[in-house]
Amino acid sequence: MIVFIARRLVISFFVLLAATFIIYVLTAFAGDPLEDLRQDNSPQKLTKIAERSERMQLDVPVVLRYLGWLGRIVRGDLGVNRDGQALAPILSDALSATLQLVLAATVLAITVGIVIGIISALRQYSGFDYTVTFAAFICFSLPLFWVAVMLKQYVAIEFNNWLKDPVIPPVVIGALALLGGLIFGALTVGDRRRRLVAFAVGLVVSGALFTILSVTRWFADPGLGTPLILAFGLATAVGFTALAAGLQYRGPLYAALAAAVIGAICSQVLGPVLADPTWLEIGGLLLLTIAVCLGLGYALGGLQRRQAMTAATLTGVFTGAMVFLDRMLQAFAGFSASVRHRPVSTIGARTPNYQGDFWQTGLDSAGHLLLPTLALILISLATYTRFSRASMLEVMNQDYVRTARAKGLPERTVVLKHAFRNGLIPVTTMMAFDLAGVIGGAVVTENVFGWRGMGFMFTKGLQEVDPGPVMAFFIVTGTAVVVFNMIADILYAYLDPRIRLS
Amino acid sequence: MTLSADTQAPDGAVEQGMTIVARTQAQMVRRRFFRHRAALAGMIVFGLVLVLAFSSIGFAGIPGWWDQSYITTGALVNQGKPTLSLSPFSIGDHPFGQDDIGVDYFAKTMRGVQQSIIVAFLVGIVATLVGAIVGAVAGYYRGRVEAVLMRVTDVMITIPVLVIAAVLGRRFGDAGVVPLGIVLGLTIWPTMARLLRGEFLSLREKEFVEAARAVGTPARRIIFRHILPNTIGVIVVSATLATANAVLLESALSFLGLGVQAPDTSLGQLINEYRTAFSTRPWLFWWPGIFIIAIALSINFIGDGLRDAFDPRQTRVRA
């Protein structure tokens, strides 16, 4: 293992070295770094040109310039850009902006994508499966920038207009209800009658839901309230118990239900604490929730202690998230008024000079993150769905899954313990690759939404024919690619003992 | 591959009233492909787009049936709104509308489709050729040759496509789409090379390769006549998918201003040009987007159908 890592690191070091040279030379030849100054008509034109030539050492051959850059990098000095600003702070700002933008999108895409992929693999050749496959293909074929401009128009501008008087027109309610019915029907297995019943139930439930939302003008002043939190919490408690332990065991079920009830009580009691918290306090509350839930599972779990702890913790964290969401939604009306009723914004990372409490600034960043996150999710969601579906199908065909079924294990155990865990192995390695790519930022998304992250720094450097920022970008992304590729290999060998590293 | 199998049916089957048809590998692939409905639909749509784009405004000096050009300006009719209507069906003078200086947008979009398709195909062909040769040589010879070739591949993979495209795109952007396509193809071949190297590594250990080597077949013949035909499925599928990706890559580059340059046009370039006009002239934005999606989607479906046709294991569940 250590030999493997050492060898890979040495090889990767030389690969990176060669790549830096090529990129440096290519960037230096990308155009004329003095182009903007040549069109300058001010009297200081010549001084400016001389100054920039001096700073960028334009009189030195490219290869020598590269060697100079390499010498500085070895000493840990990123250098300056062509305007003389130090690159280290610029790089760290860009990196944090990019991580903010991309992390949420990636985590969401991974979770949702894996869940959808697995369901569509388990329901192969159902209506749901065909729909997901088709949707994934469409997502693969969407030009990101085109989607981004569409989102700006329809999700930001028109949605903001609609929020001023949030009444859902009857036609839209009908369409949404139909959609809900179709989803219910496609997910149900069984004969035609059962599917029709599921379709009708979905139709009525979603129709009623959206009518209520529209009549009460929920979108103008949204919120969940304790009863809804309790209801959702109990439902998730049942769901997580069914997944983690199976519903026939009482212990885990009681532990999860207790976690949901305590969470709902907390949403009433914690009012003063949650009035204007900090992220540190939120983190503390999260840890406390996990500790309490683990305790509940331990105390009430009986023989299924481990499963009970899992179910209770998942339920507790989910209910906590609902309480958090509830507080955030309650702050929405005030926030919306403070940004002139345009909560979804299209440009930048935050409203300039915005002042507000924890929830309002949170909503402000959420409003700015919404569109780019949606655009980014579309593509990677499709990738994860397809990938986890294929991997899951592969695993479901293995002999050990058939053996597990043959010896009479319940379907839950077969799917979750035998198939799911093995099916996730290839997905894990893909996640590692993906995370490496993510750090490079989303060049197109950042461009459309005016986000000053890594991609922006990189394209700006390229357009200005300034090797400094481009190289700073590459040092980070190139290293990330190398490191994450190695992590992917090691993870794969660790998760699947049949693979040997050599 | 195209060996015709004229096998005798087993006696039992004939007695039971079954007919057995012997099919070659190529026939089976073709049958499976044409049974894949999505792939077939993709092929039809792509064919229609291809015919529409190249026959309407003509290509390379040959005139087409559409009487307006993508360069000459005309008088703005009804603020340049599209005249296409479905009921009653009529095309009108400017079915896709006009841009802000009165150029017929149908002709312009068709020109963009032509350019984008040319770039995509060039990228697919160049990337496949280079990648296949590098992968085949590395996988067959192993040893030092493989080490050098794969390190070169690693270097290519770590360099962002944008850097190469930006530099060479600026050099060759004015020269038209052909150099752009070749350059992009030369940047994205490493994926194919890695894939094919893996295939060669496993195939070179098979008995038929050993047999060929034992009778003294030259290496070049083993690579091209014995091993390469066995990897045709992998090559065809990933070439198709590379082409679909190239459509999106070209349009993204042109959108960033790094691809096809101004007087000439491509689908991404059109979207970039009119991205600010969305609220006033949305059609300038819709048409190129729809064509990008149609092209990429249909090629993706063709690729999926080819994958199923070459490797039917992936689709069936034995449950």
Side-chain angles (χ1 to χ4, degrees):
Chain A
M1 179 72 111
I2 291 172
V3 178
F4 167 81
I5 294 179
R7 236 185 61 196
R8 275 289 286 272
L9 280 181
V10 171
I11 293 176
S12 310
F13 173 75
F14 284 105
V15 166
L16 276 185
L17 199 66
T20 53
F21 176 71
I22 296 176
I23 295 176
Y24 195 96
V25 174
L26 281 177
T27 316
F29 283 134
D32 177 10
L34 301 173
E35 200 174 352
D36 56 324
L37 291 184
R38 286 191 212 284
Q39 287 154 4
D40 191 355
N41 285 325
S42 66
Q44 300 94 4
K45 178 177 171 180
L46 285 179
T47 4
K48 279 187 189 164
I49 290 185
E51 197 187 345
R52 188 182 287 174
S53 309
E54 169 79 35
R55 192 181 301 121
M56 294 176 74
Q57 297 178 304
L58 292 181
D59 51 343
V60 179
V62 172
V63 179
L64 292 184
R65 258 188 277 161
Y66 169 74
L67 290 177
W69 172 83
L70 200 63
R72 282 196 301 278
I73 271 296
V74 173
R75 292 195 301 272
D77 175 17
L78 283 172
V80 292
N81 68 4
R82 68 176 194 176
D83 300 322
Q85 294 156 318
L87 277 170
I90 298 182
L91 179 70
S92 73
D93 283 354
L95 192 59
S96 75
T98 288
L99 288 182
Q100 224 185 77
L101 169 68
V102 183
L103 272 187
T106 314
V107 171
L108 263 177
I110 289 175
T111 347
V112 180
I114 289 178
V115 170
I116 295 181
I118 286 172
I119 296 176
S120 89
L122 294 178
R123 299 264 180 280
Q124 202 191 10
Y125 301 133
S126 66
F128 179 77
D129 184 32
Y130 282 122
T131 318
V132 166
T133 304
F134 189 73
F137 268 98
I138 290 202
C139 289
F140 279 136
S141 317
L142 284 178
L144 190 56
F145 50 93
W146 192 74
V147 178
V149 179
M150 290 278 136
L151 284 175
K152 273 188 176 184
Q153 180 68 24
Y154 293 108
V155 181
I157 299 174
E158 312 227 328
F159 184 70
N160 282 338
N161 291 342
W162 175 77
L163 271 183
K164 283 182 188 152
D165 183 24
V167 175
I168 313 176
V171 183
V172 180
I173 292 187
L176 288 171
L178 201 66
L179 193 70
L182 285 176
I183 293 176
F184 268 59
L187 275 176
T188 317
V189 270
D191 55 4
R192 180 164 295 184
R193 235 195 78 226
R194 275 193 64 179
R195 280 177 159 180
L196 278 178
V197 171
F199 173 76
V201 171
L203 191 78
V204 173
V205 168
S206 35
L209 177 70
F210 285 109
T211 316
I212 293 173
L213 289 182
S214 170
V215 171
T216 57
R217 310 208 162 208
W218 186 82
F219 287 100
D221 186 12
L224 294 173
T226 308
L228 262 185
I229 293 179
L230 184 64
F232 281 138
L234 292 178
T236 47
V238 174
F240 280 129
T241 315
L243 278 181
L247 282 178
Q248 67 271 42
Y249 302 112
R250 292 292 137 193
L253 185 61
Y254 291 151
L257 289 177
V261 172
I262 293 179
I265 295 173
C266 284
S267 77
Q268 285 288 353
V269 182
L270 280 181
V273 185
L274 289 175
D276 191 7
T278 60
W279 278 111
L280 202 66
E281 289 170 31
I282 296 288
L285 282 176
L286 180 68
L287 287 182
L288 190 70
T289 315
I290 294 175
V292 169
C293 292
L294 287 177
L296 274 177
Y298 189 83
L300 297 173
L303 285 175
Q304 274 73 37
R305 196 161 269 163
R306 263 184 60 197
Q307 287 91 326
M309 282 156 79
T310 318
T313 311
L314 287 174
T315 314
V317 171
F318 186 82
T319 319
M322 302 265 295
V323 175
F324 184 82
L325 184 71
D326 181 45
R327 297 299 304 207
M328 201 111 189
L329 287 177
Q330 283 172 17
F332 183 77
F335 165 73
S336 183
S338 70
V339 288
R340 298 191 310 280
H341 297 283
R342 319 279 323 161
V344 181
S345 25
T346 54
I347 285 287
R350 59 187 63 81
T351 312
N353 308 321
Y354 184 77
Q355 301 285 332
D357 63 5
F358 174 81
W359 303 108
Q360 289 176 335
T361 46
L363 277 172
D364 186 48
S365 352
H368 282 87
L369 273 172
L370 180 69
L371 293 189
T373 305
L374 268 179
L376 285 175
I377 280 183
L378 273 183
I379 311 285
S380 44
L381 183 69
T383 322
Y384 278 106
T385 309
R386 292 298 290 166
F387 205 73
S388 52
R389 175 180 180 272
S391 149
M392 197 69 185
L393 281 179
E394 177 90 31
V395 172
M396 293 299 278
N397 273 335
Q398 297 294 319
D399 288 337
Y400 57 78
V401 171
R402 194 196 301 182
T403 312
R405 286 215 176 99
K407 71 184 182 190
L409 290 180
E411 189 65 18
R412 184 188 67 80
T413 320
V414 175
V415 170
L416 282 181
K417 291 252 163 80
H418 293 244
F420 176 64
R421 291 187 180 184
N422 288 303
L424 270 192
I425 295 176
V427 183
T428 330
T429 61
M430 200 181 113
M431 270 188 244
F433 286 128
D434 210 39
L435 284 176
V438 147
I439 294 174
V443 174
V444 172
T445 321
E446 286 179 11
N447 181 308
V448 180
F449 292 107
W451 202 276
R452 294 176 166 259
M454 296 290 277
F456 175 78
M457 183 173 98
F458 169 69
T459 34
K460 185 161 171 270
L462 262 186
Q463 270 152 8
E464 292 181 345
V465 200
D466 186 2
V470 176
M471 298 313 285
F473 166 87
F474 181 70
I475 292 281
V476 175
T477 54
T479 317
V481 168
V482 166
V483 170
F484 277 100
N485 273 0
M486 203 160 67
I487 292 178
D489 284 349
I490 295 171
L491 258 182
Y492 209 111
Y494 174 72
L495 292 172
D496 187 349
R498 285 171 301 182
I499 308 250
R500 283 219 200 108
L501 299 175
S502 59
Chain B
M1 280 296 284
T2 50
L3 172 117
S4 73
D6 193 31
T7 41
Q8 202 69 41
D11 298 334
V14 177
E15 277 163 24
Q16 287 166 20
M18 287 193 276
T19 46
I20 290 183
V21 184
R23 292 198 182 88
T24 63
Q25 174 91 17
Q27 281 169 336
M28 287 194 311
V29 167
R30 217 174 301 133
R31 266 173 67 92
R32 282 197 290 257
F33 180 76
F34 284 112
R35 279 190 187 165
H36 196 289
R37 264 177 295 171
L40 212 57
M43 204 131 131
I44 293 170
V45 170
F46 186 68
L48 286 179
V49 170
L50 207 64
V51 169
L52 183 69
F54 281 90
S55 74
S56 59
I57 59 164
F59 183 68
I62 307 162
W65 46 263
W66 188 247
D67 52 353
Q68 292 169 70
S69 100
Y70 60 92
I71 300 171
T72 47
T73 54
L76 269 176
V77 183
N78 189 17
Q79 295 162 335
K81 279 193 182 130
T83 54
L84 182 75
S85 78
L86 291 177
S87 61
F89 184 82
S90 80
I91 291 180
D93 288 338
H94 303 288
F96 290 6
Q98 289 169 300
D99 71 0
D100 46 353
I101 49 170
V103 180
D104 178 52
Y105 206 57
F106 174 73
K108 219 170 171 176
T109 312
M110 288 303 119
R111 174 69 179 174
V113 173
Q114 287 183 358
Q115 303 289 62
S116 293
I117 288 182
I118 292 173
V119 172
F121 268 84
L122 276 175
V123 172
I125 293 169
V126 172
T128 308
L129 272 182
V130 178
I133 291 174
V134 171
V137 170
Y140 182 78
Y141 286 106
R142 313 237 21 208
R144 208 167 290 165
V145 178
E146 184 192 17
V148 171
L149 283 179
M150 289 335 278
R151 290 300 86 75
V152 173
T153 316
D154 286 347
V155 172
M156 288 297 294
I157 280 187
T158 36
I159 299 177
V161 177
L162 270 181
V163 178
I164 306 178
V167 177
L168 301 176
R170 282 204 186 185
R171 279 282 135 90
F172 302 108
D174 306 330
V177 286
V178 176
L180 182 72
I182 294 175
V183 164
L184 285 184
L186 287 178
T187 59
I188 64 160
W189 57 266
T191 333
M192 175 67 113
R194 283 192 169 177
L195 212 61
L196 217 66
R197 169 176 161 266
E199 289 286 308
F200 262 70
L201 282 183
S202 73
L203 282 173
R204 77 190 291 276
E205 309 295 336
K206 292 268 157 79
E207 283 86 352
F208 68 89
V209 175
E210 208 170 316
R213 222 173 305 164
V215 296
T217 319
R220 212 181 54 183
R221 197 177 159 80
I222 296 185
I223 293 179
F224 289 105
R225 303 307 298 255
H226 292 253
I227 306 186
L228 209 58
N230 281 297
T231 61
I232 199 77
V234 178
I235 294 179
V236 167
V237 170
S238 55
T240 325
L241 299 181
T243 312
N245 281 334
V247 176
L248 298 179
L249 178 67
E250 182 274 325
S251 52
L253 280 178
S254 301
F255 176 74
L256 292 173
L258 298 172
V260 176
Q261 299 296 320
D264 209 334
T265 191
S266 80
L267 292 176
Q269 161 84 11
L270 283 178
I271 294 181
N272 186 29
E273 217 174 323
Y274 302 114
R275 66 201 270 194
T276 48
F278 187 63
S279 44
T280 48
R281 298 162 190 271
W283 59 90
L284 296 182
F285 194 80
W286 277 108
W287 293 115
I290 289 171
F291 273 94
I292 292 180
I293 296 176
I295 297 171
L297 190 63
S298 54
I299 300 182
N300 266 329
F301 272 128
I302 296 173
D304 193 48
L306 286 171
R307 191 207 321 259
D308 283 359
F310 279 110
D311 184 12
R313 267 179 320 150
Q314 287 200 348
T315 45
R316 292 275 164 256
V317 164
R318 282 199 317 239

Short mmCIF file of all heavy atoms in Angstrom, two decimals, chain A residues 51 66-67 98 100 132 161 178 197 203 220 229 240 248 262 342 348 350 362 367 406 454 484 493:
data_model
loop_
_atom_site.label_atom_id
_atom_site.label_comp_id
_atom_site.label_asym_id
_atom_site.label_seq_id
_atom_site.Cartn_x
_atom_site.Cartn_y
_atom_site.Cartn_z
N GLU A 51 5.30 49.56 -17.50
CA GLU A 51 5.15 49.03 -16.15
C GLU A 51 4.68 47.58 -16.20
O GLU A 51 5.22 46.70 -15.51
CB GLU A 51 4.12 49.89 -15.41
CG GLU A 51 4.13 49.73 -13.92
CD GLU A 51 2.97 50.49 -13.30
OE1 GLU A 51 2.37 51.34 -14.01
OE2 GLU A 51 2.65 50.23 -12.14
N TYR A 66 8.88 30.76 -17.13
CA TYR A 66 8.30 29.60 -16.46
C TYR A 66 9.22 29.13 -15.34
O TYR A 66 8.76 28.84 -14.23
CB TYR A 66 8.09 28.46 -17.48
CG TYR A 66 7.75 27.14 -16.83
CD1 TYR A 66 6.49 26.94 -16.28
CD2 TYR A 66 8.68 26.12 -16.73
CE1 TYR A 66 6.17 25.75 -15.66
CE2 TYR A 66 8.38 24.93 -16.12
CZ TYR A 66 7.12 24.74 -15.59
OH TYR A 66 6.81 23.56 -14.96
N LEU A 67 10.53 29.08 -15.62
CA LEU A 67 11.45 28.62 -14.59
C LEU A 67 11.41 29.56 -13.38
O LEU A 67 11.45 29.12 -12.23
CB LEU A 67 12.87 28.53 -15.15
CG LEU A 67 13.05 27.38 -16.16
CD1 LEU A 67 14.45 27.40 -16.72
CD2 LEU A 67 12.74 26.04 -15.50
N THR A 98 -16.33 29.16 -4.66
CA THR A 98 -16.66 27.97 -5.44
C THR A 98 -17.19 26.85 -4.56
O THR A 98 -18.18 26.20 -4.88
CB THR A 98 -15.42 27.50 -6.22
OG1 THR A 98 -15.18 28.41 -7.26
CG2 THR A 98 -15.64 26.13 -6.80
N GLN A 100 -18.65 27.07 -1.73
CA GLN A 100 -20.01 27.42 -1.30
C GLN A 100 -21.03 27.06 -2.37
O GLN A 100 -22.08 26.53 -2.09
CB GLN A 100 -20.04 28.93 -1.09
CG GLN A 100 -20.75 29.38 0.15
CD GLN A 100 -20.80 30.88 0.14
OE1 GLN A 100 -21.61 31.46 -0.58
NE2 GLN A 100 -19.94 31.51 0.89
N VAL A 132 -37.51 8.17 -15.69
CA VAL A 132 -36.22 8.61 -15.14
C VAL A 132 -35.15 8.50 -16.21
O VAL A 132 -34.34 9.42 -16.39
CB VAL A 132 -35.85 7.76 -13.91
CG1 VAL A 132 -34.40 7.96 -13.55
CG2 VAL A 132 -36.73 8.13 -12.75
N ASN A 161 -42.21 37.69 -9.62
CA ASN A 161 -43.44 38.42 -9.91
C ASN A 161 -44.64 37.69 -9.33
O ASN A 161 -45.53 38.31 -8.74
CB ASN A 161 -43.63 38.55 -11.43
CG ASN A 161 -42.61 39.48 -12.03
OD1 ASN A 161 -42.00 40.27 -11.31
ND2 ASN A 161 -42.42 39.39 -13.33
N LEU A 178 -52.14 16.09 -11.63
CA LEU A 178 -51.94 15.00 -12.58
C LEU A 178 -50.54 14.42 -12.44
O LEU A 178 -50.33 13.20 -12.43
CB LEU A 178 -52.13 15.57 -13.99
CG LEU A 178 -52.45 14.54 -15.08
CD1 LEU A 178 -53.80 13.92 -14.81
CD2 LEU A 178 -52.42 15.21 -16.44
N VAL A 197 -55.75 2.90 -8.59
CA VAL A 197 -56.07 3.41 -7.26
C VAL A 197 -54.97 4.36 -6.80
O VAL A 197 -55.22 5.47 -6.32
CB VAL A 197 -56.23 2.23 -6.27
CG1 VAL A 197 -56.33 2.77 -4.85
CG2 VAL A 197 -57.46 1.43 -6.62
N LEU A 203 -53.54 11.82 -7.29
CA LEU A 203 -54.23 12.96 -7.91
C LEU A 203 -54.93 13.79 -6.86
O LEU A 203 -54.75 15.01 -6.76
CB LEU A 203 -55.23 12.41 -8.93
CG LEU A 203 -55.86 13.41 -9.88
CD1 LEU A 203 -54.88 13.74 -10.98
CD2 LEU A 203 -57.13 12.82 -10.49
N ALA A 220 -46.81 33.40 0.39
CA ALA A 220 -46.51 34.77 0.80
C ALA A 220 -45.88 34.77 2.19
O ALA A 220 -45.01 35.57 2.49
CB ALA A 220 -47.78 35.61 0.78
N ILE A 229 -44.79 19.55 11.59
CA ILE A 229 -43.48 18.99 11.90
C ILE A 229 -43.66 17.63 12.55
O ILE A 229 -42.97 16.65 12.22
CB ILE A 229 -42.69 19.93 12.82
CG1 ILE A 229 -42.34 21.22 12.08
CG2 ILE A 229 -41.42 19.27 13.33
CD1 ILE A 229 -41.59 22.21 12.92
N PHE A 240 -37.97 5.37 8.30
CA PHE A 240 -36.59 5.00 8.63
C PHE A 240 -36.54 3.68 9.40
O PHE A 240 -35.61 2.89 9.23
CB PHE A 240 -35.90 6.10 9.43
CG PHE A 240 -35.41 7.23 8.57
CD1 PHE A 240 -35.73 8.54 8.86
CD2 PHE A 240 -34.63 6.97 7.46
CE1 PHE A 240 -35.27 9.57 8.07
CE2 PHE A 240 -34.17 8.00 6.65
CZ PHE A 240 -34.50 9.31 6.96
N GLN A 248 -41.65 -4.95 12.07
CA GLN A 248 -42.19 -5.92 13.01
C GLN A 248 -41.53 -5.82 14.38
O GLN A 248 -42.05 -6.37 15.35
CB GLN A 248 -42.06 -7.35 12.45
CG GLN A 248 -40.64 -7.85 12.32
CD GLN A 248 -40.05 -7.50 10.95
OE1 GLN A 248 -40.23 -6.41 10.44
NE2 GLN A 248 -39.35 -8.44 10.36
N ILE A 262 -39.97 14.24 20.41
CA ILE A 262 -39.10 15.18 21.11
C ILE A 262 -38.73 16.33 20.19
O ILE A 262 -38.72 17.50 20.58
CB ILE A 262 -37.84 14.45 21.63
CG1 ILE A 262 -38.25 13.46 22.71
CG2 ILE A 262 -36.83 15.46 22.17
CD1 ILE A 262 -37.10 12.68 23.28
N ARG A 342 -37.99 40.61 -4.24
CA ARG A 342 -37.30 39.83 -5.26
C ARG A 342 -36.39 38.83 -4.55
O ARG A 342 -35.16 38.97 -4.56
CB ARG A 342 -36.43 40.70 -6.19
CG ARG A 342 -37.01 42.00 -6.63
CD ARG A 342 -37.97 41.99 -7.75
NE ARG A 342 -37.78 41.10 -8.87
CZ ARG A 342 -38.80 40.80 -9.69
NH1 ARG A 342 -40.00 41.25 -9.46
NH2 ARG A 342 -38.60 40.02 -10.71
N GLY A 348 -24.40 37.05 -8.59
CA GLY A 348 -23.54 37.21 -7.42
C GLY A 348 -23.86 36.24 -6.30
O GLY A 348 -24.69 35.35 -6.42
N ARG A 350 -24.22 37.34 -2.82
CA ARG A 350 -25.06 37.92 -1.76
C ARG A 350 -25.48 39.32 -2.17
O ARG A 350 -24.87 39.93 -3.04
CB ARG A 350 -24.30 37.97 -0.43
CG ARG A 350 -23.02 38.78 -0.43
CD ARG A 350 -22.27 38.62 0.85
NE ARG A 350 -21.85 37.26 1.06
CZ ARG A 350 -20.76 36.72 0.49
NH1 ARG A 350 -19.99 37.47 -0.30
NH2 ARG A 350 -20.42 35.48 0.69
N GLY A 362 -29.27 34.00 5.97
CA GLY A 362 -29.33 32.63 5.44
C GLY A 362 -30.22 32.58 4.21
O GLY A 362 -29.84 32.00 3.19
N GLY A 367 -31.29 32.38 -1.56
CA GLY A 367 -31.87 32.96 -2.76
C GLY A 367 -30.85 33.11 -3.87
O GLY A 367 -31.16 32.95 -5.04
N ALA A 406 -32.81 -16.92 -1.89
CA ALA A 406 -33.15 -18.33 -1.79
C ALA A 406 -33.18 -18.80 -0.34
O ALA A 406 -33.97 -19.68 0.01
CB ALA A 406 -32.16 -19.16 -2.59
N MET A 454 -13.53 29.94 -8.75
CA MET A 454 -12.33 29.45 -9.42
C MET A 454 -12.47 29.56 -10.93
O MET A 454 -11.54 29.97 -11.63
CB MET A 454 -12.10 27.98 -9.05
CG MET A 454 -11.81 27.76 -7.61
SD MET A 454 -10.21 28.38 -7.15
CE MET A 454 -9.18 27.05 -7.66
N PHE A 484 -7.48 13.10 -5.39
CA PHE A 484 -8.76 12.40 -5.34
C PHE A 484 -8.74 11.12 -6.17
O PHE A 484 -9.39 10.15 -5.82
CB PHE A 484 -9.90 13.32 -5.78
CG PHE A 484 -10.39 14.20 -4.69
CD1 PHE A 484 -9.99 15.51 -4.60
CD2 PHE A 484 -11.23 13.70 -3.72
CE1 PHE A 484 -10.44 16.32 -3.57
CE2 PHE A 484 -11.69 14.49 -2.69
CZ PHE A 484 -11.28 15.81 -2.61
N ALA A 493 -10.05 -0.30 -3.44
CA ALA A 493 -9.37 -1.50 -2.96
C ALA A 493 -9.83 -1.84 -1.55
O ALA A 493 -9.93 -3.01 -1.16
CB ALA A 493 -7.87 -1.29 -2.99
#
